[in-house]
Amino acid sequence: MLGGRVAGASGYCDIDLEAPGRRVGTLRVTHSDNRHAFGHVSVPVAVMKGGATLEDGGPTVLLAAGNHGDEYEGQAILLSLLHTLDLRELRGRILFFPALNAPAVAAGTRVSPLDQVNMNRAFLGGAAPGPTSTIAAFVESLLPACAGVLDLHSGGSTSIYLDAALATRTADEKLFARNMAVARALGLPIIQVLGGTSTGHSLNSAAAAVGVPMAATELGGGGRTSRASVAAGRRGVLNVLRHFGVLPGVAEDFAGSQVVQVTGPRCYVVVPGAGVLEPIADLGDQVAVGDAVAVLHHWREPDRPPRTLLAEIAGTVIDIAARGLVQAGDHAAMIGEPFKEAS
C-alpha cells in the first residue's frame, strides 16, 4: 500500500493512497520543539483515483505546490483541481501535495521556519534530518510508482517570473526528451532547461534519479497570486494530465515556446549595494550585452548619482525583482540564454 510510515524517517500518511475514490488526509511528521513537544507537523495530502481505470490501474501523476511557502499560484491551481476534476473521467490516479512545505506555507516564507531548510534542496539527502527532509523522503518514496511529476513554483515574494516550464537536462537523452515533452505540454511562453545552476537536490533531481519524467513551473510571483498565471498554469496542468493519459482526450500540441537556459552567474543581474531599484527592462524583453536592465538609486546618499545595472549576456529577461528596496546581493533580473535543441 502506498502511504504509511516513511522508511527511516519519522512520519506517516493517514490515508490509503491506492484505494479508488477521492481522499484527503495528512502526512504527519513527528517533530519536537517548543511548539510540538509530543505532536506532529501536518502536511496536506490528497489522492484521486478514478472509476475509468485501465486494466493495470492506470498511470499515476504526482502534483506538488508550496515547495516554497511564499509561492501561491501553484497552490491555488491544485486546491481548485482537487474539487473540480471529475473522478468518473480519471483513468488512473493523481497524488496532490498542494502545500508540500506546510510549515513554510503557514509562515508565508520560502524556507521552513522549523529547520530553516529549503525544501527544494532537501531531496536525495541534501538536508540534515528534520521535518523538511522527512517530507522530502516521503515524496521520494512515491516517485517510482509515478508516470510523471509536476512541481508548481512561482517567483515568490522576491521576484516575478515570465510564466515558464522548467525541464531538467539529464545525461539520459531519452529522459531529457520526455522531460521536454512534459514541459511543452504545459504550453507556457518559456521553457527553461535546468542544469547549469541546479543543485542536484531538487524534486526534479529526485525524479530524474528514478527515471521519471518531470517538469516544474515558474508562474508569476511578487508575493501575490496572478490571475493570468493561475489560468495559464491550470490550462497547462490539465493538458499534462491528458499527456500522461490520466484525463481523456488528446493533449494539445503547443508550439512556440522559447527555450532558454541559465548557465551561470552572468545570467543574473546582481544589485551591488543598498538602495531603491528602478526597473528598465521588463519580462520578455530581449537584451544585448551592455543593455540597461535597472537603475539603483542611493537613498541614503542623495548626492550620489544613480548606478545603471547592465546585462552581461544577451538573451531574454525571464525574471525581475519584485521589490523596490534592495540590498547588496539581491538580484535585479535574470536573463535566459538561447538553448539550442538537438535536431
Side-chain angles (χ1 to χ4, degrees), residues 64-103:
N67 188 319
H68 297 132
D70 63 345
E71 300 177 2
Y72 303 111
E73 282 82 354
Q75 298 178 49
I77 290 168
L78 295 195
L79 290 167
S80 171
L81 291 179
L82 181 59
H83 294 277
T84 55
L85 287 173
D86 189 342
L87 265 174
R88 295 168 298 182
E89 291 188 346
L90 296 188
R91 303 178 66 83
R93 174 177 51 182
I94 306 173
L95 302 174
F96 292 85
F97 289 87
L100 184 61
N101 192 347

Side-chain angles (χ1 to χ4, degrees), residues 13 49 56 80 94 105 131 143 167 200 262 265 308 315 331 340:
C13 182
K49 187 170 182 179
D56 63 356
S80 171
I94 306 173
V105 170
L143 294 179
V262 175
T308 301
H331 86 291
K340 186 175 174 118

Side-chain angles (χ1 to χ4, degrees), residues 272 274-278 280 294-299 301-310:
V276 172
L277 191 68
E278 175 191 356
I280 301 296
V295 174
L296 179 65
H297 299 278
H298 308 283
W299 69 269
E301 304 170 84
D303 59 340
R304 184 178 173 188
R307 178 169 176 177
T308 301
L309 308 183
L310 307 177

Side-chain angles (χ1 to χ4, degrees), residues 109-204:
T109 55
R110 181 173 174 83
V111 305
S112 172
L114 300 183
D115 53 17
Q116 300 304 310
V117 172
N118 181 336
M119 170 69 73
N120 222 29
R121 308 293 184 272
F123 292 90
L124 300 177
T132 305
S133 62
T134 297
I135 299 167
F138 182 74
V139 173
E140 284 183 49
S141 74
L142 302 176
L143 294 179
C146 294
V149 179
L150 281 180
D151 188 17
L152 306 181
H153 290 259
S154 75
S157 300
T158 62
S159 65
I160 303 172
Y161 233 98
L162 181 62
D163 291 343
L166 282 62
T168 299
R169 181 78 166 92
T170 59
D172 181 342
E173 291 294 335
K174 290 183 179 179
L175 179 58
F176 177 49
R178 295 166 73 198
N179 289 344
M180 288 294 289
V182 180
R184 286 194 184 88
L186 283 163
L188 298 172
I190 292 287
I191 295 175
Q192 180 183 339
V193 176
L194 299 176
T197 59
S198 299
T199 67
H201 295 287
S202 65
L203 180 49
N204 295 67

Side-chain angles (χ1 to χ4, degrees), residues 155 159-164 189-190 218-222 224 226 229 258 279-287 293 315-322 331-336:
S159 65
I160 303 172
Y161 233 98
L162 181 62
D163 291 343
I190 292 287
E218 295 286 2
L219 299 168
R224 85 287 188 263
S226 160
S229 293
Q258 182 183 359
I280 301 296
D282 205 350
L283 293 174
D285 283 356
Q286 300 296 312
V287 295
V293 173
T316 304
V317 177
I318 60 174
D319 174 274
I320 59 173
H331 86 291
M334 181 164 57
I335 301 170

